[in-house]
């Protein structure tokens, strides 16, 4: 019986040892968790102290600014010129520009001039058919016959007058009849030979041989382009500053080309439908760089001042209806303070503004940092005093 009971007793002792071992393991895990919690608390306190240290650092920066000055950027008021330009756009036309029009519906026989050709007054540009059945063409044939008959009569009458066979009054009557016949022939011929009324360059031909030239419609355009007109329209804000005679400059951004002219015409009132004011600017065009029909941009000088005190627009402060600046002054101890100063602005461009009163050339004004200072603040200028002009 003892031998049978001994193994069971050993087993029970082994189980008790295993149970104690598991308990010890759980206690070890518990101690580890406690240690981790303690470390976490210590880390939290460390972070807290670091934040407090940063706050102490911020506080020290503020104290430095109080003792040395709030950093600002400043610029010096200078004497110079101001120009205000308004950008416009318009369509180019020749200084002389007119259509060549057919007065009849007649077939085109020949086109003698093409785009780019120079023509003088009286040069034939387009010739229309003379033999096709048309009332005007019958009139041309009749006018030609009457002219030839009148010319023969005058020649015969001159011989008779020299021989004393007719009176001077009879010769004068025949010559008057020749002039009338010649005028009728010219008018009739104008219906078939379309000519240039004035010198210029052919800018457009709208027909070809064989086409019909419609009555009253242009078949070609002639322009004198050594000087051109740019026709434009202006909105209300632009119209208020435009004046006849103002300087105008056209420019081509792609090539850098430019040319100067003037505003030559402005309507007395705006269009009632579009509310736009029409105008013209005239430009010399000796090299034919401005071609009729193209759209060109140009600037108009609408305001200028010479030898004025000026500062960057960003230096101005507006409170209500009062403009002011912060002037940087030496307090006598080598430190600088900001002085609130009311000013009266004048002409303004996109970058600079004229100061009519309240500021002298050579004085330094705050350009950046106005929102952090007030009248009498200690400031520290962090640029060279000139700023970006």
């Amino acid at each position: 019986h003892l031998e049978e009971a001994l193994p069971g007793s050993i087993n029970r002792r082994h189980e008790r040892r295993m149970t104690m071992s598991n308990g010890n393991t759980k206690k070890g895990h518990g101690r580890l968790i406690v240690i981790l919690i303690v470390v976490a608390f210590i880390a939290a306190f460390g972070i807290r102290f670091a934040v407090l240290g940063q706050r102490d650092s911020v506080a020290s920066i503020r104290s430095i600014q109080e003792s040395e000055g709030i950093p600002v950027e400043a610029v010096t008021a200078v004497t110079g010129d101001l120009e205000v330009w308004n950008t416009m756009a318009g369509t180019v036309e020749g200084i002389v520009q007119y259509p060549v029009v057919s007065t009849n519906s007649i077939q085109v026989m020949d086109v003698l001039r093409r785009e780019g050709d120079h023509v003088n007054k009286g040069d034939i540009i387009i010739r229309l058919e003379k033999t096709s059945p048309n009332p005007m063409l019958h009139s041309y044939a009749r006018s030609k016959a009457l002219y030839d008959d009148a010319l023969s009569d005058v020649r015969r009458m001159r011989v008779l007058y020299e021989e004393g066979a007719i009176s001077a009054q009879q010769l004068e009557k025949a010559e008057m009849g020749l002039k009338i016949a010649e005028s009728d022939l010219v008018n009739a011929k104008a219906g078939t030979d379309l000519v240039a009324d004035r010198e210029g360059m052919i800018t457009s031909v709208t027909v070809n041989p064989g086409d019909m030239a419609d009555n009253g419609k242009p078949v070609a355009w002639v322009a004198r382009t050594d000087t051109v007109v740019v026709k434009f329209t202006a909105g209300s804000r632009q119209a208020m500053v435009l004046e006849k005679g103002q300087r105008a400059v056209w420019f081509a951004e792609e090539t850098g080309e430019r040319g100067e002219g003037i505003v030559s015409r402005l309507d007395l009132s705006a269009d009632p439908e579009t509310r736009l004011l029409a105008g013209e600017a005239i430009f010399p065009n000796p090299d034919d760089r401005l071609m009729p029909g193209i759209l060109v941009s140009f600037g108009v000088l609408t305001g200028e001042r010479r030898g004025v005190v000026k500062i960057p627009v960003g230096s101005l402060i507006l409170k209500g209806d009062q403009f002011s600046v912060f002037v940087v002054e030496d307090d006598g101890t080598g430190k600088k303070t900001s002085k609130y100063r009311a000013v009266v602005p004048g002409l303004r461009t996109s970058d600079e503004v004229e100061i009519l009163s309240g500021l002298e050339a050579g004085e330094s004004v705050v350009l950046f940092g106005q929102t952090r200072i007030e009248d009498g603040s200690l400031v520290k200028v962090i640029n060279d005093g000139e700023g970006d002009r």
Side-chain angles (χ1 to χ4, degrees):
H1 297 289
L2 180 60
E3 292 177 353
E4 292 177 359
L6 184 60
S9 176
I10 293 174
N11 288 338
R12 283 192 297 273
R13 285 197 299 269
H14 177 71
E15 288 176 359
R16 284 196 299 269
R17 290 194 188 100
M18 291 296 296
T19 301
M20 293 176 63
S21 175
N22 289 337
N24 291 334
T25 300
K26 290 181 180 179
K27 290 180 180 179
H29 288 170
R31 286 194 294 271
L32 179 60
I33 291 172
V34 171
I35 292 172
L36 291 176
I37 292 173
V38 171
V39 170
F41 273 112
I42 293 172
F45 277 111
I47 294 173
R48 177 64 175 171
F49 288 134
V51 171
L52 291 176
Q54 289 180 353
R55 289 185 179 178
D56 291 341
S57 176
V58 171
S60 65
I61 291 175
R62 290 176 181 171
S63 63
I64 291 172
Q65 289 183 356
E66 290 175 358
S67 62
E68 297 186 4
I70 300 171
V72 296
E73 291 188 30
V75 66
T76 302
V78 298
T79 301
D81 301 334
L82 287 178
E83 293 183 346
V84 178
W85 292 84
N86 273 263
T87 302
M88 316 292 296
T91 304
V92 177
E93 293 185 3
I95 188 66
V96 173
Q97 185 163 306
Y98 63 90
V100 178
V101 180
S102 173
T103 57
N104 292 280
S105 296
I106 305 175
Q107 190 175 36
V108 176
M109 185 173 69
D110 198 6
V111 177
L112 304 180
R113 298 287 192 276
R114 289 290 181 180
E115 288 88 346
D117 290 347
H118 182 272
V119 292
N120 295 310
K121 182 179 179 179
D123 287 349
I124 300 175
I125 299 173
I126 294 174
R127 182 166 286 144
L128 303 179
E129 182 62 54
K130 289 184 172 65
T131 59
S132 61
N134 185 286
M136 184 63 197
L137 298 181
H138 291 311
S139 176
Y140 171 80
R142 179 175 178 274
S143 297
K144 183 66 167 64
L146 290 174
Y147 172 78
D148 291 341
D149 184 59
L151 181 59
S152 298
D153 283 345
V154 167
R155 288 172 177 171
R156 181 171 53 84
M157 297 292 279
R158 286 172 181 170
V159 172
L160 293 176
Y161 175 75
E162 291 176 358
E163 293 176 351
I166 62 172
S167 64
Q169 290 81 1
Q170 289 175 304
L171 177 59
E172 290 175 359
K173 184 177 181 180
E175 289 179 341
M176 180 61 70
L178 176 61
K179 290 180 179 179
I180 295 173
E182 183 180 14
S183 177
D184 290 341
L185 179 60
V186 169
N187 291 336
K189 188 177 181 181
T192 56
D193 287 342
L194 307 183
V195 301
D197 291 339
R198 284 161 285 180
E199 180 186 3
M201 182 180 70
I202 305 258
T203 60
S204 175
V205 176
T206 61
V207 293
N208 291 302
D211 294 343
M212 290 297 294
D214 294 332
N215 180 19
K217 291 187 177 180
V219 293
W221 283 88
V222 179
R224 206 187 86 203
T225 58
D226 56 331
T227 300
V228 295
V229 172
V230 178
K231 294 188 174 182
F232 64 89
T233 56
S236 57
R237 295 183 65 181
Q238 292 174 319
M240 292 177 66
V241 296
L242 290 176
E243 294 180 7
K244 186 177 177 180
Q246 288 173 327
R247 179 184 170 197
V249 177
W250 69 265
F251 49 88
E253 294 181 357
E254 297 80 4
T255 62
E257 294 177 286
R258 54 190 289 132
E260 293 202 13
I262 62 169
V263 176
S264 56
R265 185 185 68 82
L266 289 171
D267 283 354
L268 297 178
S269 62
D271 185 284
E273 294 184 0
T274 64
R275 308 298 181 185
L276 299 176
L277 183 72
E280 296 178 359
I282 188 169
F283 296 95
N285 190 39
D287 299 326
D288 290 329
R289 302 304 298 166
L290 299 178
M291 297 174 287
I294 68 170
L295 184 69
V296 64
S297 295
F298 64 98
V300 178
L301 182 62
T302 56
E304 60 180 329
R305 297 286 189 275
R306 303 296 173 190
V308 300
V309 177
K310 61 180 183 176
I311 60 174
V313 171
S315 299
L316 276 182
I317 303 169
L318 176 60
K319 291 183 178 179
D321 58 354
Q322 176 66 60
F323 287 95
S324 60
V325 296
F326 278 116
V327 180
V328 178
E329 296 182 345
D330 195 325
D331 67 354
T333 66
K335 294 184 178 181
K336 298 183 183 297
T337 59
S338 59
K339 184 66 176 179
Y340 184 83
R341 181 92 59 84
V343 295
V344 178
L347 185 67
R348 181 184 302 198
T349 71
S350 59
D351 302 318
E352 297 178 311
V353 59
E354 171 191 13
I355 300 300
L356 298 175
S357 65
L359 190 68
E360 300 293 333
E363 291 190 285
S364 182
V365 297
V366 176
L367 178 59
F368 297 111
Q370 299 101 320
T371 59
R372 296 184 297 167
I373 61 177
E374 56 187 20
D375 189 29
S377 294
L378 189 64
V379 296
K380 182 178 182 180
V381 179
I382 61 175
N383 61 329
D384 60 5
E386 294 296 329
D388 295 328
R389 301 307 305 272

